Amino acid sequence: MAGERVERVERVEREEAGGHRDADAVSRFVESFAAQLVEAGMQRMPARVFAALLSSDEGARTSAELGDQLRISPAAVSGAVRYLAQQHMVSREREPGSRRERYRVHSNQWYEAFTNRETVLKRWEGALREGVTSLGGDTPAGRRMAETLAFFEFVDGEISAMMERWRVHRATVFGER
């Protein structure tokens, strides 16, 4: 068990060294970016796991590798990955010939995360429409609800248009993938 851990740590260090990386600098980046994500509202462990995946050359790590890199328990990795998968920020995949899972961050994770928000906005819009109907559009609460609904409808349309512009921009800057 200890031998496997040392082997994993050495593999991660080799990967980082192959890209001429300073392991301490990578660790500082992971913690710094994770702190920014936490400040924006993400939970701490998912933020750290996401930053670690994002900063790895492969964009993927096993639970054990993440645990070793971040010095956290398998349970902490599992909870973080579950949250990130629900947010469409990481995916799970099986290692060929193994029962172990690898967790992967994709180059379009932000696109997926924002696109997933559209579903949430649609549900909120439906609930707000019911609120306007229930409260009456001519009451102060109904007008407040109608303004909130109008805001979410506006944001929904802007996100859709922005995502289309992003697809075009991404293809121009990075080529078709």
Side-chain angles (χ1 to χ4, degrees), residues 16-143:
E16 291 171 354
H20 306 292
R21 292 197 223 185
D22 175 346
D24 289 334
V26 171
S27 182
R28 284 191 303 273
F29 164 77
V30 166
E31 296 305 327
S32 173
F33 188 57
Q36 295 297 315
L37 293 171
V38 168
E39 195 171 301
M42 188 183 280
Q43 299 168 7
R44 184 170 183 268
M45 276 307 143
R48 292 182 72 215
V49 167
F50 181 74
L53 289 169
L54 192 63
S55 67
S56 72
D57 282 341
E58 293 179 342
R61 292 268 193 260
T62 65
S63 177
E65 290 167 343
L66 287 165
D68 291 342
Q69 179 182 354
L70 300 172
R71 294 177 176 82
I72 59 177
S73 71
V77 172
S78 178
V81 168
R82 184 174 30 260
Y83 171 85
L84 292 167
Q86 289 170 344
Q87 301 304 311
H88 302 279
M89 295 180 78
V90 301
S91 61
R92 299 170 192 252
E93 54 190 43
R94 290 269 183 217
E95 281 190 336
S98 172
R99 291 180 18 197
R100 287 191 298 183
E101 286 185 328
R102 292 177 65 77
Y103 308 112
R104 177 171 301 282
V105 65
H106 297 281
S107 60
N108 65 344
Q109 76 277 349
W110 296 114
Y111 175 85
E112 292 296 327
F114 271 87
T115 301
N116 187 49
R117 296 291 184 255
E118 283 185 279
T119 304
V120 173
L121 287 175
K122 292 289 186 199
R123 285 197 313 258
W124 290 355
E125 289 171 18
L128 288 165
R129 267 188 210 89
E130 286 180 32
V132 171
T133 301
S134 299
L135 298 168
D138 56 347
T139 66
R143 282 191 300 277

